Amino acid sequence: MSMTILTVDDSRTMRDMLKMSLLRAGFTVVQAEDGVHGLEVLQEQHADVIITDINMPRMDGFGFIEGVRGKDAFKATPILVLTTEGDPEKKARAKQAGASGWIVKPFNPEKLIDAIRRVAA
Amino acid sequence: MESRIQDKAETLRLPPILDLKAAAPLREQLLGLRGKPVELDGAEVQRLGGLCLQVLLSARDSWHNDGLPFSLGAASEAFDQSLSLFGVHADEFQSSGV
Amino acid sequence: MDPFEEIKDTFFQECDEQLSELEAGLQAMKDGAGDDDTVNAVFRAVHSIKGGAGAFGLEDLVRFAHTFESVLDEVRGGRLAADADLLNLMLTSSDMLSDHVRAARGGEPADPERSQSLVQQLDARRLGGAAPAPQPAPAQGSRPGPVLTPGVSEDGGIEGFDFTPVVMAFDVDDEASQTEEPELPILAEPEVADARPSWQISFRPKAALYASANEPAVLLRELGRLGEMSVRLEAGALPLLEDMEPEESYLAWSIQLATEAGRDEIAEIFEFVEDDCDLGITLIGEASGEAEAAEPIEAFEPEGEFPAPEAAPDVEALIAMAQAMSEPELHVEEPAPQPAPAAALPAAPAAEQPAAAEKEAGGAAKAATQQSAQQSAQPTQTIRVELERVDRLIDLVGELVINQAMLAQRVFESGAARNSDVALGLDDLEHLTRDIQESVMAIRAQPVRSVFQRMPRLVRECAAMTGKQVRLEMEGEGTEVDKTVVERLSEPITHMIRNAIDHGLESTADRVAAGKAEEGVVTLSARHRSGRIVIEVADDGKGINRKVVRQKAIEKGLIEPDQQLSDEETDNLIFLPGFSTANEISDLSGRGVGMDVVRRSIQSLGGRIWITSRPGYGSTFTMSLPLTLAVLDGMVVTAGGQTLVTPLATILETLQPKQADLRRLGPNSWVIAIRDTYVPLIDVGCVLGYRDQPLRPGEGVALLIEAEGGGRAAFLVDAIQGQRQVVIKSLEQNYRKVEGIAAATILGDGRVALILDVDAILAKRKHDAPQTNTLMAAVG
């Protein structure tokens, strides 16, 4: 049984890249296009790890993370945020919202898998 | 399952996932068994996290303080491996009572 | 296609979408209609392009996007006011960004000097007006590493972007080499006998580590991957069960690790939790054959050389320089209450649904006005399908519709009662068939947005060239039409817009003198009407100078000096071949720059174009094009022995002409009185040449029709057969183009029927019988 990863990103390009990298690494991938959609998906889909963008329409990554952590079922689900900046404030804010870690864009597949490995039980 | 402990030890069957979410309920369950000999059944455990480890270790100490037996019966491979990973030897987990 | 290229394709598609978002947003801000959401959307657009470009190693694009984004970030954070100058600069920059995207796509390279100059201007605005000394343009060609904008790094105002060059270097043959199931680590023996350097790691998680769903078990497992590990648990702080908080952290670990990995690699494992734990990493000996037992954990004080996980020094420096970013709001924001033109329509995702759009195409003509904010409102799943497969499906469904109609006809002819089970079953089948057809055709339908979104730039450039102030307003970008039509719309629209600005709008001085606003308005709109798509380009300029146009037409021998023409007809003279050429027209107040060319290209699409004009108030070009492959609800009629189909949407009513209502205007011209007005009576059989002799007055049936151009007429036919849904087959594909005929169809009985081009018949008749024009103008 492979792990299921939920990716939340408004950019199709980024979703496709994540998907390709993750599928190649043997993960199952579920996608959502923004925070609101991500929360909807989580009502029906299990995810072992969540990867989310920060800048998104409707509901940004911070709102999404808080929404996820607000649900008992997902308290222990690792969440990685995608960030382009080496911005400590943004990382700190994501952590405060409940993120487990981050992936700096542009990422390569190894970095991505490494990051997942560091949070996924 | 050879370590039959004295008389009627309560068996606590541990759930497969012992993560953050499982810690508080596990503690509640164990509190409900205070004063009785307890044998843990870890046969179904797939994952053991730090918080549940704390609860189990604290329970072991608490039972030990009471002089009551507290033991680990069946254990899945994953459970055994997790314990070693945390630096805990399965036999440290026993408190045979006084 | 290899997956990498496919994603790149997606990226460029997305760039187009983002660029149009960007432009729409900047324009809204310029019009004073922008709110925080607009600014965020604009920022996101550039940010997103930069992100994708980074992943593909498109350095020029990344660099420009980065500079642009930095300015937007200042605006977003309220630190920089988006005044008119800045907005103009940003609009120009969005054009430049678009050029960079085009270049990255393999197209024409972006102008390096212009790009560099914009970078400097953007930086200057971001840094508060003090323009940096002009920098030489950077050497073109690939540069491997990150390049910060010149002159900015010392300033400290720019965030660093760590640019890892290629990223998606997949080896296609490479099996999924990563773990499918993360393995559990190989556990170290208590005694570490290893020739590798040995590290002492002390790790005490805080409650926050657990709260962020991080897990010591995972971190220990990852450490174990690096080498031989021995772990000692420190549980001295653990309270008894009654006294413990289940989510508090009481345990700590002391780990001895023999590994080739360096400090950075070890620290990297703890990167995410460095603030959520006490961590010490100490080298305790090179190749210490006999590692001592792990020390009990006491000293958790960060040591002097406490490592900064992962961060290479230069990155660290860049981070230190990074500017404070203000973040978007945490929660979903309510739609803006302002009556902004670009305000979201929050609860109307249905308008995006293909079914709804197709229904409009079917006839319920309501302009599908799409707001740009709506685009992303409803996440939808998509798949990619080859066009050929869709077309094959469309063809098959077309056959199905015809087959179904034939079957129905045969059942009817066999004498089955209307309410028989067979007939009722056939009715259901017909509905189903129709639904299938609508859904299938919706697959090919695309919004005209992709064409519309190129126009703001065109307008800006034309405005700059002519020195006029122009605002472009767009409506109905979401109106859907067949893909092939969308692709061919760009050229005529470009032509019409250019014309509207060049020749339609007055100079600013003239506008002011005429009491008009300095800024001229060009409106581009699309809507569905009568199963066609109608696109209009309107300006609020001076309108056509009919005197000049008429004079010109006479000089060119296009009309007789004494020929009577309605205003409408005069205006439309500009479409005649030979009316004008570009150099001649510049002294004309009207239009005409190659308008015959535009008309021809539209006609080749089965469309028509005309112009309406009001002196002093402006002109409107209207073009009407078929939604190819659309289903048509038609009235099947007979004229001159031919079976013809009249689009139902053009028919206002049917009537039996009475002798008393008819009035003769010429040898072959009649008008018919309908209530208070006269309309021309057109014998369709005659006009199309199926019959030499016109029907005698009183014979036949008349259809009162209204053309898209607004003109009315009564079409006289032999008889009406009934209403039917027909599949439009392109005539040009089957045989030559026939004037007055829009397309063909195959009826249930297998006969080919021609579909009337109502507007063309009206025009043809006018042309054939110009003497009725005066009356027509009075009537129509």
Side-chain angles (χ1 to χ4, degrees):
Chain A
M1 192 192 71
S2 76
M3 278 206 268
T4 301
I5 316 267
L6 168 66
T7 62
V8 186
D9 200 314
D10 58 322
S11 154
R12 245 183 1 254
T13 311
M14 212 43 78
R15 284 201 304 274
D16 282 1
M17 285 201 167
L18 286 167
K19 186 174 181 180
M20 184 159 93
S21 312
L22 294 171
L23 290 179
R24 276 169 183 276
F27 295 107
T28 304
V29 180
V30 186
Q31 298 181 321
E33 299 185 6
D34 58 34
V36 175
H37 190 205
L39 291 177
E40 284 167 11
V41 168
L42 281 177
Q43 291 188 340
E44 291 164 10
Q45 282 270 6
H46 160 81
D48 294 296
V49 175
I50 297 168
I51 299 176
T52 179
D53 191 24
I54 293 179
N55 260 299
M56 294 182 289
R58 296 213 294 174
M59 181 190 283
D60 67 15
F62 302 122
F64 171 66
I65 294 168
E66 285 174 350
V68 172
R69 287 286 180 251
K71 292 177 200 230
D72 265 358
F74 299 112
K75 269 170 72 179
T77 306
I79 304 176
L80 294 169
V81 295
L82 287 162
T83 164
T84 31
E85 294 91 349
D87 185 345
E89 196 193 322
K90 190 165 279 185
K91 286 177 184 171
R93 196 164 155 204
K95 277 301 288 272
Q96 201 175 4
S100 316
W102 51 84
I103 298 163
V104 175
K105 292 189 283 190
F107 56 85
N108 65 32
E110 282 145 48
K111 284 261 179 222
L112 174 69
I113 305 305
D114 262 8
I116 292 171
R117 212 205 302 264
R118 275 186 270 145
V119 294
Chain B
M1 209 74 105
E2 52 218 79
S3 53
R4 274 251 151 248
I5 310 295
Q6 298 184 352
D7 32 14
K8 45 185 180 334
E10 296 277 345
T11 299
L12 175 62
R13 181 176 291 185
L14 298 173
I17 306 294
L18 288 168
D19 63 4
L20 167 74
K21 297 186 303 254
L26 179 63
R27 175 173 171 269
E28 290 303 316
Q29 270 185 304
L30 283 162
L31 283 174
L33 295 173
R34 288 308 305 268
K36 300 171 191 165
V38 163
E39 183 185 276
L40 300 176
D41 177 355
E44 288 172 17
V45 174
Q46 295 166 13
R47 192 188 298 169
L48 171 64
L51 290 177
C52 285
L53 176 71
Q54 291 184 158
V55 172
L56 293 176
L57 289 174
S58 167
R60 178 200 63 185
D61 293 349
S62 305
W63 259 253
H64 184 77
N65 269 10
D66 295 350
L68 281 167
F70 187 91
S71 64
L72 175 61
S76 65
E77 206 184 324
F79 191 52
D80 270 344
Q81 284 190 344
S82 296
L83 287 177
S84 331
L85 182 61
F86 281 126
V88 179
H89 292 284
D91 52 359
E92 288 178 40
F93 223 90
Q94 316 288 343
S95 161
S96 50
V98 186
Chain C
M1 206 192 289
D2 91 59
F4 182 71
E5 284 304 313
E6 249 177 63
I7 295 179
K8 210 165 173 179
D9 252 25
T10 305
F11 167 65
F12 284 124
Q13 277 173 27
E14 210 161 26
C15 278
D16 288 345
E17 291 161 20
Q18 301 288 3
L19 284 168
S20 103
E21 280 270 314
L22 169 63
E23 181 157 326
L26 289 173
Q27 193 61 53
M29 287 164 72
K30 197 178 167 190
D31 296 344
D35 53 16
D36 286 354
D37 279 349
T38 317
V39 180
N40 280 329
V42 161
F43 174 84
R44 214 163 38 233
V46 179
H47 182 77
S48 184
I49 290 174
K50 185 184 102 174
F56 290 106
L58 304 169
E59 296 179 35
D60 288 347
L61 180 54
V62 170
R63 245 174 266 143
F64 190 82
H66 177 74
T67 307
F68 196 175
E69 180 195 27
S70 305
V71 171
L72 283 167
D73 193 43
E74 292 297 300
V75 173
R76 189 174 70 144
R79 295 178 294 273
L80 183 59
D83 54 33
D85 279 352
L86 182 57
L87 281 162
N88 281 332
L89 175 61
M90 291 199 291
L91 276 163
T92 315
S93 300
S94 85
D95 294 342
M96 192 70 228
L97 189 63
S98 163
D99 287 354
H100 276 295
V101 168
R102 186 193 59 207
R105 215 174 201 152
E108 195 186 321
D111 178 350
E113 277 169 33
R114 187 156 170 255
S115 177
Q116 183 60 24
S117 144
L118 282 170
V119 164
Q120 283 173 19
Q121 291 177 58
L122 286 168
D123 282 341
R125 284 307 302 259
R126 186 171 52 78
L127 301 174
Q135 302 286 333
Q140 292 303 299
S142 58
R143 229 188 261 189
V147 177
L148 288 177
T149 316
V152 176
S153 47
E154 306 103 26
D155 183 87
I158 195 164
E159 84 192 58
F161 58 100
D162 35 351
F163 190 5
T164 317
V166 169
V167 184
M168 299 295 287
F170 284 106
D171 181 352
V172 179
D173 296 328
D174 187 22
E175 286 306 304
S177 55
Q178 309 292 345
T179 49
E180 199 156 310
E181 281 281 282
E183 306 155 20
L184 284 161
I186 301 126
L187 288 169
E189 295 300 312
E191 285 297 302
V192 178
D194 204 309
R196 291 176 286 187
S198 191
W199 297 83
Q200 175 70 39
I201 300 153
S202 52
F203 168 51
R204 184 186 294 273
K206 300 175 187 168
L209 183 146
Y210 293 103
S212 61
N214 277 292
E215 177 53 63
V218 172
L219 300 166
L220 289 168
R221 181 192 71 204
E222 292 304 303
L223 270 184
R225 283 177 184 281
L226 295 179
E228 295 290 303
M229 179 172 79
S230 107
V231 180
R232 172 188 284 203
L233 173 72
E234 179 62 33
L238 189 61
L240 293 179
L241 200 57
E242 282 79 2
D243 301 328
M244 81 178 300
E245 289 289 334
E247 293 179 12
E248 188 46 73
S249 175
Y250 303 104
L251 301 178
W253 285 270
S254 168
I255 303 121
Q256 203 174 326
L257 177 68
T259 177
E260 295 291 349
R263 180 188 299 271
D264 286 353
E265 251 178 290
I266 297 170
E268 193 176 22
I269 289 173
F270 295 93
E271 180 194 1
F272 299 154
V273 296
E274 79 177 285
D275 295 334
D276 300 333
C277 67
D278 293 323
L279 181 71
I281 303 173
T282 321
L283 184 62
I284 53 173
E286 296 285 337
S288 67
E290 263 93 330
E292 302 145 42
E295 299 270 279
I297 303 159
E298 241 98 53
F300 269 110
E301 300 309 311
E303 291 134 48
E305 39 163 3
F306 191 72
E310 152 112 326
D314 53 335
V315 175
E316 193 74 338
L318 289 171
I319 290 173
M321 282 171 16
Q323 64 198 96
M325 300 270 284
S326 88
E327 304 301 341
E329 287 303 307
L330 221 63
H331 303 287
V332 196
E333 278 150 312
E334 295 298 315
Q338 289 97 320
L345 301 175
E352 278 279 351
Q353 306 276 314
E358 197 52 40
K359 224 164 261 158
E360 282 172 16
K366 196 181 154 213
T369 307
Q370 301 274 337
Q371 308 288 0
S372 62
Q374 199 186 329
Q375 275 177 273
S376 52
Q378 192 69 14
T380 46
Q381 301 277 325
T382 56
I383 57 161
R384 198 184 295 253
V385 182
E386 279 168 42
L387 201 55
E388 266 177 32
R389 294 196 191 186
V390 175
D391 287 350
R392 173 87 184 121
L393 186 60
I394 287 174
D395 275 355
L396 284 173
V397 174
E399 298 299 320
L400 176 66
V401 169
I402 290 163
N403 237 283
Q404 176 268 326
M406 284 177 164
L407 184 60
Q409 178 113 0
R410 298 220 175 107
V411 168
F412 183 65
E413 284 167 5
S414 74
R418 266 271 155 240
N419 59 354
S420 65
D421 284 352
V422 177
L424 293 176
L426 275 171
D427 281 351
D428 290 346
L429 180 63
E430 186 187 342
H431 283 129
L432 197 58
T433 311
R434 195 173 185 136
D435 286 351
I436 292 173
Q437 188 171 39
E438 283 181 3
S439 314
V440 165
M441 285 189 308
I443 297 175
R444 263 192 73 105
Q446 286 191 334
V448 294
R449 185 175 292 116
S450 60
V451 174
F452 274 33
Q453 72 193 19
R454 290 178 224 157
M455 298 308 149
R457 175 175 191 173
L458 175 77
V459 168
R460 277 197 296 282
E461 287 172 354
C462 284
M465 250 175 329
T466 56
K468 294 173 185 174
Q469 294 179 39
V470 189
R471 186 170 83 244
L472 176 68
E473 290 183 353
M474 296 197 288
E475 286 169 20
E477 294 106 302
T479 309
E480 292 190 336
V481 66
D482 190 86
K483 185 173 157 49
T484 49
V485 176
V486 172
E487 285 159 1
R488 294 171 69 178
L489 283 176
S490 176
E491 205 185 300
I493 291 178
T494 303
H495 214 116
M496 289 191 288
I497 287 186
R498 194 171 281 153
N499 210 277
I501 297 172
D502 278 358
H503 303 289
L505 294 179
E506 313 91 328
S507 69
T508 307
D510 287 354
R511 288 184 69 89
V512 172
K516 290 181 174 181
E518 290 185 11
E519 190 178 53
V521 179
V522 173
T523 309
L524 172 63
S525 67
R527 63 181 188 276
H528 283 137
R529 195 171 166 209
S530 308
R532 291 170 79 88
I533 183 167
V534 174
I535 292 173
E536 287 189 345
V537 174
D539 65 63
D540 67 345
K542 54 192 171 295
I544 283 183
N545 187 334
R546 298 196 172 108
K547 246 189 206 162
V548 179
V549 168
R550 184 182 167 83
Q551 191 54 43
K552 200 89 189 166
I554 293 168
E555 280 170 25
K556 297 270 174 186
L558 299 170
I559 54 170
E560 297 303 319
D562 59 347
Q563 195 165 340
Q564 292 293 311
L565 293 176
S566 67
D567 288 348
E568 184 197 339
E569 283 168 323
T570 308
D571 292 349
N572 284 284
L573 287 173
I574 63 167
F575 291 111
L576 288 183
F579 174 78
S580 63
T581 60
N583 20 1
E584 284 178 302
I585 199 70
S586 54
D587 60 337
L588 262 195
S589 56
R591 300 153 184 272
V593 182
M595 273 300 145
D596 60 316
V597 177
V598 176
R599 185 172 73 156
R600 270 202 301 279
S601 83
I602 288 167
Q603 279 175 337
S604 75
L605 284 171
R608 278 182 303 283
I609 182 168
W610 64 92
I611 186 169
T612 51
S613 179
R614 277 181 72 200
Y617 292 92
S619 310
T620 301
F621 278 111
T622 307
M623 58 189 219
S624 149
L625 292 155
L627 314 160
T628 49
L629 305 161
V631 202
L632 181 77
D633 281 308
M635 181 77 86
V636 182
V637 300
T638 322
Q642 287 282 329
T643 304
L644 301 169
V645 179
T646 313
L648 204 55
T650 63
I651 300 175
L652 298 176
E653 59 182 289
T654 61
L655 48 118
Q656 210 80 48
K658 295 193 190 73
Q659 187 85 47
D661 295 334
L662 300 176
R663 186 176 302 173
R664 189 177 203 121
L665 284 182
N668 289 320
S669 295
W670 295 81
V671 291
I672 180 169
I674 294 177
R675 288 175 284 277
D676 299 341
T677 56
Y678 283 102
V679 299
L681 184 69
I682 299 172
D683 188 322
V684 174
C686 273
V687 168
L688 295 177
Y690 299 136
R691 184 175 45 216
D692 297 334
Q693 288 304 307
L695 285 172
R696 279 195 302 278
E699 278 180 344
V701 184
L703 311 171
L704 178 62
I705 59 104
E706 184 173 58
E708 280 159 41
R712 287 187 181 191
F715 280 13
L716 191 61
V717 299
D718 305 356
I720 290 176
Q721 294 184 12
Q723 251 171 261
R724 206 154 307 167
Q725 181 207 352
V726 299
V727 186
I728 299 173
K729 297 263 173 190
S730 163
L731 252 194
E732 286 150 89
Q733 241 168 43
N734 300 310
Y735 34 96
R736 70 196 169 81
K737 173 106 183 102
V738 181
E739 202 178 346
I741 300 298
T745 187
I746 299 169
L747 295 177
D749 57 9
R751 278 178 303 154
V752 172
L754 300 175
I755 301 171
L756 294 181
D757 185 339
V758 170
D759 284 52
I761 289 176
L762 257 180
K764 184 173 160 66
R765 186 217 166 249
K766 276 190 219 170
H767 188 70
D768 293 349
Q771 64 270 31
T772 63
N773 283 327
T774 321
L775 181 83
M776 270 198 60
V779 168

